[in-house]
Amino acid sequence: MSDSTSNKTASLAALASHASLARTWQLSTLFAQDKQRFQRFSLEAAGLFLDYSKNHIDASTVSLLTGFARSCGLEQRRDAMFKGEPVNTTEQRPALHTLLRAPAEQRFELDGEVLSSEVQQVLVRMDQLSQRVRSGEWLGFTGKVITDVVNIGIGGSDLGPAMACAALRPFIKPGLRAHFLSNVDGHAIDAVLANLSPETTLFIIASKSFTTQETLINAHVAREWFLSKGKASDLSKHFVAVSTNTKAVAEFGIDTANMLPFWDWVGGRYSVWSAIGLSIAIAVGMDNFRAFLAGAHDMDMHFRKSPLEQNMPVMLGLISWWYRQYFGSTSHLIAPYHEDLRLFPLHLQQVDMESNGKRVTTAGIPVTSPTAQVIWGSTGTNGQHAYFQMLHQGTDVVPVDFIATIHPSHDRINQHNALLANCFAQAEALMVGHQKDERPDHVGEALAEFRVLPGNRPSNTLLIDTLTPASLGALLALYEHKTFVQGVLWDINSFDQWGVERGKTLAARILPELEGRTSSHTHDGSTTGLITRTLQKKH
Ligand code: F6P
């Protein structure tokens, strides 16, 4: 056994025995015993404040967890990612999304190519293109200014930009609307096109591969819709592309002068920082897009330079791993108490579950511990009136990340105070619960048990001063790095996604059958039954 393997084994053994103790701890007691607990277990970085004191941890837990992280080589693997080493081992390429948000003056060369200049050149082109649309210089085929931008993409080519445009709503130029079309479901494109005019609409076809079925189908339908009014020679005024695949873009009929490139070393779920963010730049302006990048870079620097014990993404990753490993938590709730962050949990689902939903280690051996949690969530206070009941009285323990801003971007202070009061109250209620003897006098013994909330349920609270492009950038980078940290702890490759390929292949086989073009494929009885019934009902 190598030194690092034996260190890891010893760390895990120590953690397992410590966990059996920690599972007996009452969070309220930990606070009663340590008046400095809040100060001790909170952190500030890149403008974000994290309170992680309401967790089943103490100083020795932190030391054991960080010791384990070191035995997994977290610091080395983090540095390897920033340096551009091929950390995506199954595809033999780097994961360099952090370079996309590095300052312009920071030179970065890999294998003889100055990647930093390529990044900066694309940013300049994004700036020019977005400025032309925003200023009204970019005109549609009848000479009208563009009022609506439709991003057609899916997964990472949709979720990040859609999330950021929603989050930065107050920064969007009045009169400009950004729409996001992802689903191949025809109802989706109907809903988007219903209120648009081909004269004033600009489509961004966003696809790293430019082979994704949903995106290409939607792009073709959008082109037909446009051609019902405009001429083929006008297409270049209404269609631009963001892709790594110049040939496919040209074949689709988009002028490659209107194509912004990016690179295979940018994973789809990390591509919001690349030209895939064009819709954001058009909506909120390039200065704000650059501030979004800068906020993320601040978090990158914090992640790269801070000791593990004071490192926000590391602590978030370790704590979440702790509950997955030793407390049986199968899911993790993201609860933003900010309406404009309503798409944040959806974007994090891809960031986290596409990254860490893996079954083998980097050596290709089945993992011996459970990997990614289910990431889910929606905004507070809405969730409180839907599924929070289960958090308080259900039998599963679901760790929660509450996210709130101290200052809103409106001036309805009473509403904001009510929102924050609810956020803090939920975290408190999860922890302190409601005991039998606390019930009101009029509640008799018969009902007493029904009203008990056991409490002792963990949560983190992230406080942001104000939701701005910079703080949004820092927040997203925080979760990207948290995901990376967990991938290292499980020793998995967080940068590939082979699991999604099988469904794509099978859908490509089933499609001609539904179209009645072939019936030659064999399937299981259920799939055959579904296809047959659908075909019978169609005719
Ligand atoms: O299906 C998974 C996936 O490959 C994601 O990783 C990616 O973000 C998405 O599809 C879209 O891919 P593309 O940008 O190549 O269209």
Side-chain angles (χ1 to χ4, degrees):
M1 202 188 278
S2 71
D3 277 0
S4 71
T5 313
S6 67
N7 285 346
K8 211 165 149 176
T9 312
S11 282
L12 276 175
L15 272 165
S17 105
H18 181 70
S20 46
L21 194 67
R23 281 193 293 269
T24 68
W25 292 345
Q26 287 297 317
L27 294 174
S28 302
T29 312
L30 297 181
F31 276 93
Q33 288 167 346
D34 179 3
K35 298 291 170 228
Q36 293 300 306
R37 186 170 170 83
F38 174 76
Q39 288 75 6
R40 221 183 291 286
F41 298 107
S42 53
L43 273 174
E44 221 166 336
L48 310 185
F49 177 83
L50 170 68
D51 166 24
Y52 59 101
S53 59
K54 294 192 191 83
N55 283 294
H56 290 80
I57 57 168
D58 68 2
S60 55
T61 324
V62 172
S63 142
L64 286 168
L65 285 170
T66 49
F68 174 60
R70 287 196 174 90
S71 75
C72 294
L74 176 59
E75 288 144 317
Q76 292 80 356
R77 283 179 67 175
R78 172 192 62 189
D79 294 348
M81 176 178 74
F82 278 95
K83 278 194 217 145
E85 288 176 24
V87 290
N88 180 351
T89 44
T90 60
E91 297 176 294
Q92 270 306 301
R93 55 194 187 209
L96 268 174
H97 43 285
T98 51
L99 178 62
L100 301 169
R101 50 217 196 193
E105 59 282 4
Q106 198 173 299
R107 190 176 193 279
F108 184 92
E109 188 177 328
L110 192 69
D111 301 333
E113 280 185 71
V114 186
L115 299 186
S116 49
S117 334
E118 293 182 28
V119 169
Q120 294 308 318
Q121 279 162 21
V122 175
L123 283 171
V124 169
R125 289 188 57 200
M126 271 177 91
D127 196 344
Q128 289 163 346
L129 200 160
S130 57
Q131 189 46 31
R132 283 179 63 203
V133 176
R134 288 170 61 82
S135 66
E137 183 195 329
W138 184 298
L139 298 175
F141 72 100
T142 55
K144 292 187 178 163
V145 298
I146 299 297
T147 55
D148 294 88
V149 175
V150 181
N151 184 85
I152 301 184
I154 198 162
S157 301
D158 164 73
L159 290 163
M163 180 281 293
C165 283
L168 301 178
R169 179 188 52 82
F171 297 84
I172 294 180
K173 185 179 163 73
L176 247 187
R177 286 170 297 274
H179 310 264
F180 292 87
L181 177 59
S182 52
N183 199 339
V184 73
D185 181 349
H187 299 106
I189 194 163
D190 270 2
V192 169
L193 297 183
N195 299 314
L196 301 185
S197 159
E199 294 173 78
T200 51
T201 301
L202 177 69
F203 292 97
I204 302 173
I205 315 301
S207 175
K208 179 176 171 181
S209 59
F210 226 82
T211 58
T212 303
Q213 185 200 46
E214 294 92 327
T215 301
L216 291 186
I217 290 179
N218 275 324
H220 278 103
V221 175
R223 187 169 61 179
E224 289 311 305
W225 175 83
F226 173 78
L227 290 174
S228 68
K229 290 273 161 50
K231 295 195 293 290
S233 55
D234 295 323
L235 278 169
S236 62
K237 298 186 177 114
H238 294 271
F239 282 80
V240 300
V242 182
S243 187
T244 57
N245 189 345
T246 315
K247 187 166 168 276
V249 169
E251 277 163 14
F252 178 84
I254 291 179
D255 184 348
T256 48
N258 287 342
M259 176 191 138
L260 295 183
F262 65 114
W263 309 270
D264 69 354
W265 43 261
V266 181
R269 50 195 174 275
Y270 304 97
S271 61
V272 64
W273 316 102
S274 72
I276 287 288
L278 180 63
S279 52
I280 312 170
I282 294 176
V284 302
M286 198 61 190
D287 287 350
N288 281 321
F289 187 75
R290 286 184 189 276
F292 174 60
L293 300 182
H297 177 71
D298 280 353
M299 184 55 75
D300 292 342
M301 286 299 94
H302 165 77
F303 177 51
R304 205 172 175 182
K305 304 281 177 210
S306 308
L308 303 189
E309 294 73 8
Q310 278 121 48
N311 196 309
M312 202 181 274
V314 172
M315 288 317 299
L316 267 192
L318 283 170
I319 291 170
S320 177
W321 177 88
W322 172 239
Y323 290 120
R324 182 74 178 119
Q325 182 85 359
Y326 299 114
F327 291 70
S329 295
T330 54
S331 83
H332 194 120
L333 174 67
I334 307 293
Y337 276 63
H338 197 306
E339 198 54 31
D340 293 337
L341 284 175
R342 67 190 171 281
L343 300 182
F344 192 63
L346 299 188
H347 180 44
L348 285 194
Q349 286 183 327
Q350 190 197 13
V351 167
D352 192 299
M353 294 197 278
E354 194 167 80
S355 297
N356 287 342
K358 306 287 165 66
R359 55 173 285 281
V360 292
T361 67
T362 50
I365 304 162
V367 290
T368 50
S369 56
T371 60
Q373 292 101 324
V374 175
I375 300 293
W376 61 294
S378 60
T379 52
T381 62
N382 295 10
Q384 293 174 206
H385 300 273
Y387 48 77
F388 270 53
Q389 162 64 33
M390 177 265 202
L391 304 183
H392 291 293
Q393 287 192 310
T395 49
D396 278 342
V397 173
V398 180
V400 184
D401 287 0
F402 292 96
I403 304 173
T405 60
I406 293 176
H407 304 290
S409 30
H410 58 72
D411 53 12
R412 294 177 199 86
I413 299 308
N414 293 347
Q415 277 191 269
H416 194 64
N417 285 340
L419 179 77
L420 282 184
N422 272 281
C423 176
F424 298 162
Q426 287 300 322
E428 186 175 29
L430 283 168
M431 181 174 80
V432 301
H434 192 242
Q435 311 312 321
K436 224 171 168 179
D437 56 9
E438 290 177 293
R439 71 186 188 275
D441 291 341
H442 66 271
V443 177
E445 187 61 29
L447 281 182
E449 199 58 49
F450 294 96
R451 299 177 68 126
V452 168
L453 279 68
N456 206 27
R457 302 199 164 185
S459 66
N460 296 307
T461 302
L462 264 167
L463 285 181
I464 307 169
D465 276 355
T466 316
L467 190 57
T468 61
S471 60
L472 181 70
L475 180 68
L476 180 53
L478 167 66
Y479 277 94
E480 287 180 350
H481 292 319
K482 173 215 160 180
T483 301
F484 172 79
V485 167
Q486 291 195 295
V488 172
L489 302 178
W490 287 313
D491 186 23
I492 57 184
N493 177 2
S494 298
F495 298 110
D496 59 11
Q497 59 283 320
W498 300 106
V500 295
E501 295 308 319
R502 182 69 172 149
K504 292 183 190 174
T505 312
L506 292 183
R509 285 177 64 198
I510 293 173
L511 180 61
E513 296 181 62
L514 288 178
E515 290 173 340
R517 289 190 279 125
T518 176
S519 57
S520 58
H521 297 307
T522 51
H523 301 280
D524 60 276
S526 167
T527 308
T528 304
L530 291 168
I531 294 170
T532 309
R533 182 174 167 86
T534 304
L535 287 173
Q536 281 165 355
K537 289 276 177 187
K538 269 186 171 176
H539 298 300

